[in-house]
Amino acid sequence: MAKLWNGRFARGTHNLMEQFSESISFDRELAEVDIRASLAHAKMLNAVKLISTKDLSAVRKGMKEILESIRAGKFVYRTSDEDIHMAIESELTRRVGDPARRLHTARSRNDQVATDTRLWTREKIDLLSGLILNVQKALLATATREKDVVIPGYTHLQRAQPILASQHLLAYVEMLERDRERMADARKRVNRMPLGSCAMAGTTLPIDRQMVCKELGFDGLCENSMDAVSDRDFIVETLSALTLLFLHLSRFSEDVILWSGSEMGLIKLDDAWSTGSSIMPQKRNPDLMELTRGKTGRIVGSLMGMITVIKGLPMTYNRDLQEDKDPLFDAVATAELTLRCLAEFVPTIKFNRKRAASLLVDGFLDATVLAEYLVNKGLPFRSAHEVSGTLVRHAEENGLRLCEIPLEFMRGVSPLIGKDVFQCLNPQNTPKAYVSAGSAGHKEVSKALTRWKKRLAKK
Ligand code: ARG
């Protein structure tokens, strides 16, 4: 098979070399953006009179046919073409001849691939941001539906304080909001155009980069031709944002696994989203959650791979950079499917209210409110903590809940305690008493639900 650099080489490439260096098996993902960028480039070449209007029409016609054959699954990808850029150019040449041979004027695969990858990444950032928003909306709807459910909040996996389950769900809405912000921020630097930097030095031909930039919807040019073709920091940024997203999703997964496990038993996994065991009939496994947690490793791996590829690369384009695609494509595809699943799964979360109430009974979740009760009576917090601690110890030793300790005994520990103490010794009611901004009780959670409803509706 004749190569595009045929003029210079006397002998063909080793067949193993062809196999080793090809990227067409995966960079076909860039086919559509490659065509879009080529059409913008051709339009500009015509505008600055580097190609004729007849050439431009021929290129447009050929590209239209190629795009159709790609969409119809009929395009033949040949390993001998090495990558998608050469595959499309060769096919265009077969179809329209000389006009196709003019298309690569003032262009190199170096600026071409960087441009395609940015266009592709920009599209995927928009897609993924929308999918994150869907998960946020699902969390918000679930938090709204479950807004009166009180569950234990944990620190160190020990029951700590009673909270509204909605507060727990809204915590993830907030994390995902930051993830969307990070995607939007990465997008600003993704959306710069390398095209026109050519191999790395630019060109002596009178091209109009601004025109192509506008045509392709870029916010501006990559200003330095050498930086433009050689850096992939925009991929690192995108993968970093995805990594943080998945750190959040994996934490969410872990929470759901704990909630649905036999020890907590706070939710029962929906049939559609769990799997059975081939041997233990009683099982209902949280595979969606475990796989989300597991796929986080893959995303982190992509980020590490990309960082390692870039490290120490001399200026400018080096073939190492071809290794940017697999991690990027894989991470984006993984994120897309995971987010689609989560948006559907989240609304199936329904808390078992009876079980939630029973988890509040043991564990002295009202000990902190008791201390705060004493603070309200004028006791310094440290002393109040001690009184509450003493009562917890007494209750523990005697197999009692705090509200079951006789008032007389309590007054013996602190005379500040009165009959009204029993109002706060009921974990089920505690969240009604939280008042600080952002707290986990009825007042603040209800405000937060309204706030998020407005915010997410605007997006
Ligand atoms: N397939 C290459 C890549 O993905 C395209 C650029 C090749 N440029 C070159 N001079 N060999 O990076």
Side-chain angles (χ1 to χ4, degrees):
M1 185 55 78
K3 297 277 186 248
L4 290 171
W5 53 77
N6 242 8
R8 166 80 175 74
F9 282 52
R11 291 198 303 137
T13 34
H14 195 288
N15 60 347
L16 275 176
M17 178 55 192
E18 207 164 271
Q19 194 186 326
F20 189 69
S21 67
E22 67 87 20
S23 54
I24 194 154
S25 55
F26 49 90
D27 67 11
R28 58 180 70 177
E29 180 71 31
L30 299 175
E32 294 210 12
V33 285
D34 191 73
I35 291 175
R36 206 188 308 157
S38 284
L39 288 173
H41 182 66
K43 185 173 172 184
M44 179 277 292
L45 290 179
N46 173 241
V48 300
K49 304 204 160 50
L50 282 167
I51 66 170
S52 70
T53 304
K54 227 174 111 212
D55 286 341
L56 175 61
S57 307
V59 166
R60 282 182 171 153
K61 179 176 158 287
M63 284 300 199
K64 188 166 172 273
E65 291 167 14
I66 293 176
L67 186 60
E68 277 162 13
S69 86
I70 286 170
R71 289 188 175 157
K74 290 195 183 126
F75 190 83
V76 186
Y77 298 95
R78 296 183 179 84
T79 310
S80 54
D81 276 331
E82 191 180 297
D83 62 24
I84 190 65
H85 323 291
M86 301 230 266
I88 291 175
E89 195 184 321
S90 313
E91 181 59 26
L92 189 70
T93 309
R94 274 192 290 276
R95 284 176 192 257
V96 306
D98 266 354
R101 298 165 63 84
R102 293 210 173 86
L103 178 61
H104 213 54
T105 308
R107 188 176 78 172
S108 150
R109 276 185 298 154
N110 298 352
D111 59 345
Q112 197 179 351
V113 70
T115 302
D116 291 0
T117 309
R118 284 171 183 266
L119 284 173
W120 187 91
T121 306
R122 180 181 79 189
E123 255 170 37
K124 295 300 177 178
I125 285 180
D126 294 344
L127 172 75
L128 294 178
S129 300
L131 295 177
I132 298 173
L133 180 62
N134 290 347
V135 177
Q136 287 181 292
K137 286 181 175 165
L139 285 164
L140 178 61
T142 310
T144 307
R145 193 190 62 225
E146 304 287 305
K147 67 175 185 294
D148 53 336
V149 180
V150 182
I151 61 171
Y154 294 77
T155 60
H156 316 278
L157 261 188
Q158 298 175 42
R159 281 177 230 169
Q161 291 179 288
I163 54 152
L164 287 189
S166 307
Q167 175 82 344
H168 198 142
L169 294 169
L170 287 176
Y172 285 102
V173 174
E174 207 144 314
M175 291 179 227
L176 294 182
E177 184 70 5
R178 292 195 296 278
D179 291 322
R180 270 189 324 122
E181 284 170 15
R182 270 184 284 270
M183 298 287 272
D185 191 53
R187 192 190 194 282
K188 292 184 205 155
R189 283 171 297 279
V190 167
N191 204 26
R192 302 259 148 191
M193 191 187 78
L195 207 62
S197 302
C198 308
M200 59 108 177
T203 174
T204 58
L205 297 167
I207 57 171
D208 182 352
R209 292 188 69 203
Q210 288 295 355
M211 178 185 164
V212 184
C213 178
K214 262 201 212 110
E215 182 79 14
L216 292 173
F218 282 109
D219 293 331
L221 302 179
C222 295
E223 291 179 359
N224 180 298
S225 62
M226 295 175 75
D227 175 41
V229 295
S230 66
D231 210 336
R232 296 293 183 268
D233 56 355
F234 70 95
I235 299 183
V236 173
E237 281 194 58
T238 305
L239 292 175
S240 302
L242 288 181
T243 294
L244 279 161
L245 166 70
F246 267 75
L247 294 183
H248 292 151
L249 297 181
S250 73
R251 291 183 61 199
F252 176 71
S253 303
E254 178 62 12
D255 277 343
V256 173
I257 290 167
L258 288 168
W259 284 344
S260 67
S262 11
E263 309 308 324
M264 285 192 195
L266 275 169
I267 63 173
K268 184 176 139 200
L269 288 177
D270 191 76
D271 284 359
W273 296 104
S274 36
T275 57
S277 154
S278 54
I279 175 166
M280 299 166 284
Q282 82 279 18
K283 281 297 181 75
R284 182 180 278 277
N285 296 330
D287 293 29
L288 171 68
M289 297 298 127
E290 292 173 349
L291 282 167
T292 300
R293 201 174 53 184
K295 284 177 194 292
T296 304
R298 237 166 113 157
I299 305 278
V300 174
S302 293
L303 173 63
M304 290 307 133
M306 195 58 234
I307 287 175
T308 314
V309 166
I310 293 175
K311 183 195 169 292
L313 275 191
M315 285 288 216
T316 52
Y317 180 86
N318 295 273
R319 194 61 183 278
D320 314 42
L321 290 174
Q322 181 167 294
E323 293 296 321
D324 63 353
K325 288 172 200 63
D326 250 347
L328 177 64
F329 295 168
D330 184 72
V332 166
T334 301
E336 181 180 345
L337 187 55
T338 306
L339 290 166
R340 285 191 197 283
C341 289
L342 288 178
E344 302 275 331
F345 163 75
V346 166
T348 68
I349 295 178
K350 291 190 184 81
F351 288 93
N352 177 335
R353 284 149 204 256
K354 249 174 134 180
R355 178 66 182 158
S358 80
L359 285 180
L360 294 172
V361 171
D362 300 320
F364 308 107
L365 286 101
D366 39 9
T368 310
V369 206
L370 174 57
E372 287 176 357
Y373 164 87
L374 288 162
V375 167
N376 276 327
K377 301 270 174 187
L379 203 60
F381 181 76
R382 283 290 165 223
S383 317
H385 184 283
E386 214 172 296
V387 170
S388 180
T390 305
L391 290 171
V392 166
R393 195 177 64 210
H394 173 78
E396 202 167 42
E397 283 167 4
N398 295 278
L400 299 172
R401 298 159 60 189
L402 283 175
C403 66
E404 289 167 347
I405 302 176
L407 183 59
E408 276 323 296
F409 184 92
M410 290 199 231
R411 290 178 61 82
V413 180
S414 167
L416 290 171
I417 297 179
K419 240 187 18 224
D420 56 347
V421 75
F422 292 103
Q423 280 159 29
C424 72
L425 294 182
N426 176 356
Q428 193 69 43
N429 282 336
T430 304
K432 293 200 181 104
Y434 295 142
V435 290
S436 55
S439 52
H442 295 73
K443 291 189 191 79
E444 286 297 304
V445 169
S446 122
K447 279 193 231 163
L449 289 171
T450 316
R451 205 164 54 228
W452 278 115
K453 204 171 158 197
K454 265 195 224 137
R455 262 193 223 167
L456 297 186
K458 268 193 250 148
K459 308 277 152 87

